[in-house]
Amino acid sequence: MLKCRSDGSTLTKVLDLGSQPLGNGFLAQSDFGNEFWYSLTCGFSESSLLFQLVDQPDAGLMFHDNYKFQSSTSQAMSTHFERLFDDFVSGGRVRVDGGLIVELGCNDGVFLRHAASQGIRHVGVEPSRGVGEVARDLGVNVLDGFFTPEVAHSIQSDSGKATLIYAANVMCHISDIDSILGGVDALLADDGFLVFEDPYLGDVVQKVSYDQIYDEHVFLFSALSVQRLFNRIGLELVDVEHLDTHGGSMRYWLARPGHTQPLPSVAKTLKQEYELGLHSTETFVNFAANVAQSAEMLRATLEDLRSNGLRVSAFGATSKSTTVYNYAGIGPTLIESVFDNTESKIGLYTPGVHIPVVSDIEFKVPYPDTTFLGAWNHSVEIQRKYPEYELQGGRWLTHVPDVHFVP
Ligand code: DWN
């Protein structure tokens, strides 16, 4: 019997995305024979309400010193975190004076660099040393490693309790979520907030954005599941904010009972989630059928373009597109190259299907006829950068929420 990795309740298998390599496992040609593969299947528990991976590769395989993703590669995301930091500081909800901000998975310091530059007490916990070094160079106080109850206790004894524990696109990566519960409970001040944001299960289901499912995303949360999960350590869900980032995310605010009244956004979102069926296995069985259809449609569209002699590339060597390419069987015969601005990915090949990753500087005349938006979540930013592409007859293609050319 499959079990929920959080509360041990029965897990029903609802989606099978086949054999997959690591989402961020961009590799050199010489490593083609050494790739790690695992079975990407998802389950749902009607008890914990958690949508989750059945098996997840070892954390050390995914988050290591050479982890390739840097948050600051998107200008829009940098601006997002700068604004959020200003809101935290000036909004009055979070106590900053005499407080402590702790960020789980601070990546390259895209958020905490603002604390560093304003002299606000903070700690960033980051297991991937390469990106952690980038943050350190920006003045961020980085603790190397994973956030565990032991790390929480040591932060508390060195710096006191946290008035804000923040995590962006991190919580959904953590398989041993119970260790986070223990750590948060140990570290959060009585008047503190745990705030985190992650890709939102409601968007994934509604937009059939199944590419949010890969090795690193062990959970896709809803307000329903977050409320149930953190109730286990007595935290209350007091606010939720739906965000456009990463193709649809949710920010969750949690606090100790009696600290603050839950805002109407919580009841409203919970009601919407029941209406959408995020509490029911049947919803995810239907979702799986939509996923199969979406992948089939994308491959058929690319085959059609290629059989008409058109050149197709992709933009954005994302972890997300690893799922799409490997599930739908899309390799270099359908997509000749992927453009990207991340230095450490350029010159490598995409995981599993081995499409070459080339510098975004090379995205120029003669342009590919069609460009698949591997980073569809950044489509506004990318399309804005290349207004001449469409003027030259190029077309952007996406698979979200259905396969279509983007106007
Ligand atoms: O949760 C996660 C999210 C936040 O980031 C991680 N598990 C891993 C990663 O997922 P992803 O790779 O799917 O993220 P992005 O943000 O969709 O990746 C965008 C890619 O596109 C990056 O490789 C950078 C590239 N890019 C580019 O070349 N030019 C992005 C923009 C905006 C651009 O203008």
Side-chain angles (χ1 to χ4, degrees), residues 69 173 214 216-217 319-320 340-341 345 377-378 385:
F69 179 74
H173 295 69
Y214 51 92
E216 296 176 18
H217 289 178
S319 325
K320 290 185 291 295
D340 200 281
N341 64 2
K345 293 180 187 173
N377 46 311
H378 299 295
K385 270 188 200 165

Side-chain angles (χ1 to χ4, degrees), residues 23-24 26 63 67-71 73-77 168-170 172-173 198-199 211-212 214-217 246 315-321 339-342 345 358 360 374-379 381-383 385-386:
N24 252 314
F26 295 89
F63 310 113
Y67 183 63
K68 299 271 182 279
F69 179 74
Q70 279 192 232
S71 303
T73 48
S74 159
Q75 185 50 49
M77 289 309 292
N169 304 305
V170 166
C172 70
H173 295 69
D198 276 310
D211 49 353
Q212 285 294 4
Y214 51 92
D215 53 344
E216 296 176 18
H217 289 178
H246 288 294
F315 209 106
T318 58
S319 325
K320 290 185 291 295
S321 40
F339 295 96
D340 200 281
N341 64 2
T342 313
K345 293 180 187 173
V358 294
D360 60 341
W376 57 271
N377 46 311
H378 299 295
S379 63
E381 183 172 348
I382 292 170
Q383 285 181 281
K385 270 188 200 165
Y386 303 98

Side-chain angles (χ1 to χ4, degrees), residues 163-304:
T163 44
L164 172 66
I165 301 178
Y166 177 65
N169 304 305
V170 166
M171 216 59 106
C172 70
H173 295 69
I174 301 171
S175 167
D176 184 6
I177 197 76
D178 286 20
S179 76
I180 296 294
L181 298 183
V184 167
D185 201 22
L187 189 58
L188 192 66
D190 287 345
D191 64 347
F193 287 101
L194 165 66
V195 180
F196 69 94
E197 58 194 73
D198 276 310
Y200 177 49
L201 182 62
D203 283 297
V204 170
V205 168
Q206 285 184 298
K207 297 178 184 165
V208 200
S209 45
Y210 66 96
D211 49 353
Q212 285 294 4
I213 303 167
Y214 51 92
D215 53 344
E216 296 176 18
H217 289 178
V218 65
F219 294 111
L220 284 177
F221 295 116
S222 59
L224 282 166
S225 59
V226 165
Q227 183 189 52
R228 202 162 281 192
L229 180 64
F230 285 94
N231 273 350
R232 284 170 49 197
I233 53 165
L235 293 193
E236 273 182 350
L237 185 60
V238 294
D239 193 10
V240 287
E241 297 169 76
H242 188 251
L243 311 169
D244 288 337
T245 51
H246 288 294
S249 298
M250 192 68 92
R251 182 179 297 144
Y252 308 95
W253 288 70
L254 294 118
R256 297 205 188 269
H259 171 205
T260 178
Q261 280 298 314
L263 297 179
S265 59
V266 175
K268 185 176 163 211
T269 303
L270 294 175
K271 181 168 177 283
Q272 284 167 348
E273 291 188 354
Y274 274 115
E275 284 163 7
L276 186 58
L278 297 187
H279 61 297
S280 156
T281 305
E282 196 191 339
T283 304
F284 301 103
V285 172
N286 294 337
F287 169 65
N290 293 338
V291 169
Q293 206 174 29
S294 167
E296 186 48 44
M297 180 65 89
L298 179 62
R299 194 160 51 85
T301 303
L302 294 172
E303 282 171 352
D304 192 44

